Amino acid sequence: MIEVKQGAAPLQGPLPGRNVPLTVRRILCVLPLLLVTVIAVRHRAVLAEGFALLPTARRPWLLTAAGVTCLTWVAAAFTRQGAVVERLPGRRLLATQFAAGAANHMLPTGLGASAVNLRFMTVCGLTPARSSAALALYLLAESVGRVGLLAALLVAFPDALRFGSLLPAGAFGPLLLAIGAVAVVAVGVLTAVRPLRRAVGSFLRTALGEARSVHALPSRALALWGGALAFPALQTTVLVLVGLAFGLSVPPAHMAVAYLAATVAVALVPTPGGLGSVETALVVALVAVGAAAAPATAVVLVFRVITVWLPLLPGALTLGALVRLKVI
């Protein structure tokens, strides 16, 4: 099932997917659909408003946005493959990214996709330690790609975003202090708790070893960092296309800055898939780059319909199918 690159350690051990009880597997197949129903009912007003706005936009831009959305799963698959030395089964990997996107909107930000991909890698034969290291490398690359792309756009367009409209006066200092305090507490806990320090040290050694192995293969390094840059770039392109569909009076580069700034800001908000927080941050960011509030709201609602709500049900069905087929 898996092709091992020359020089890589062979995958060993039984496939964990074979050991999941049948009853549990049946529950896991149905659970995604139940969660989708709950999410849809809780957000039915936003969902209805977003779908109602679809006919008012120019369709060619929306169809292009839907096509670019599909490419985001391809970019995610490339990044996941680039985080491990072994060649993962391509079709299953791509299907897993589609399913992980749905899972990500059912659990606090990042947990759903992480859980699905951890399961996929362990079923493929990677040890839990190596699967966790690959996940950490993926998250690091994706974060660096997103922040790096934002930084590059801010350098190219320094006047695109008015930060004063995003943060209350005097909020930047306390925010930095809070981040510093969290870092100090984390270091203190690691220093005081020896078992935790040993566990973290062991994980870091494994992660660094995996990172070195991956970067020793040019094809893996290119997949990792190319996908990490392509993923936020494609997401940004979707928002720009939706903005063009509604004739938003904001330059595309400024819309791109607004999207990246908003998604970086809400990354720390533990809401399922960023539901609610992403919409609010995106509207505020678009207004901060010069858009009027009403069209900005319409753009955000339709953007979320295309990227979240339309793929959610088929993604949940794919997730259930992957569980049933013992892919995850």
Side-chain angles (χ1 to χ4, degrees):
M1 180 175 64
I2 300 173
E3 174 188 336
V4 181
K5 300 293 287 185
Q6 185 175 3
L11 301 181
Q12 299 177 352
L15 298 182
R18 307 291 183 184
N19 301 324
V20 179
L22 181 59
T23 302
V24 175
R25 189 172 296 280
R26 287 175 176 172
I27 293 174
L28 292 175
C29 289
V30 176
L31 186 59
L33 297 179
L34 295 178
L35 290 175
V36 167
T37 303
V38 171
I39 293 172
V41 169
R42 289 184 58 188
H43 298 85
R44 59 186 179 277
V46 174
L47 187 59
E49 188 174 355
F51 274 110
L53 290 168
L54 284 173
T56 66
R58 285 177 282 184
R59 292 186 180 180
W61 291 114
L62 294 184
L63 292 175
T64 306
V68 174
T69 298
C70 295
L71 293 178
T72 60
W73 302 312
V74 177
F78 269 93
T79 313
R80 300 283 184 186
Q81 174 61 87
V84 296
V85 174
E86 292 80 5
R87 182 177 295 277
L88 301 173
R91 293 180 182 178
R92 299 177 191 177
L93 176 60
L94 182 58
T96 300
Q97 301 321 300
F98 182 49
N104 217 34
H105 297 296
M106 303 174 194
L107 295 172
T109 304
L111 292 182
S114 297
V116 170
N117 279 284
L118 277 174
R119 181 65 185 171
F120 173 70
M121 286 186 286
T122 54
V123 168
C124 285
L126 276 73
T127 64
R130 293 191 60 211
S131 298
S132 300
L135 175 62
L137 182 58
Y138 168 87
L139 293 175
L140 176 62
E142 203 277 334
S143 299
V144 170
R146 187 176 298 271
V147 175
L149 191 58
L150 173 60
L153 286 174
L154 287 175
V155 170
F157 305 96
D159 299 326
L161 189 63
R162 297 186 294 271
F163 286 99
S165 60
L166 293 176
L167 291 175
F172 190 71
L175 181 61
L176 287 180
L177 287 176
I179 294 174
V182 171
V184 170
V185 170
V187 171
V189 170
L190 287 175
T191 302
V193 183
R194 181 175 297 178
L196 180 60
R197 185 170 68 250
R198 289 176 177 172
V200 172
S202 176
F203 172 76
L204 290 177
R205 285 191 295 272
T206 302
L208 289 174
E210 288 294 305
R212 284 193 296 268
S213 299
V214 164
H215 287 87
L217 298 173
S219 61
R220 293 294 184 267
L222 180 61
L224 176 67
W225 294 105
L229 284 171
F231 184 74
L234 289 168
Q235 288 184 320
T236 301
T237 302
V238 176
L239 180 71
V240 171
L241 290 169
V242 175
L244 293 175
F246 280 94
L248 198 65
S249 58
V250 175
H254 291 199
M255 283 190 274
V257 169
Y259 174 77
L260 291 169
T263 53
V264 168
V266 302
L268 300 177
V269 180
T271 58
L275 292 175
S277 60
V278 170
E279 287 87 347
T280 302
L282 276 176
V283 172
V284 171
L286 286 173
V287 171
V289 297
T297 302
V299 167
V300 170
L301 287 174
V302 173
F303 169 76
R304 294 294 273 176
V305 166
I306 292 174
T307 58
V308 176
W309 295 107
L310 287 179
L312 192 56
L313 180 57
L317 292 171
T318 302
L319 181 59
L322 292 177
V323 172
R324 185 173 64 254
L325 296 173
K326 302 180 181 180
V327 174
I328 58 176

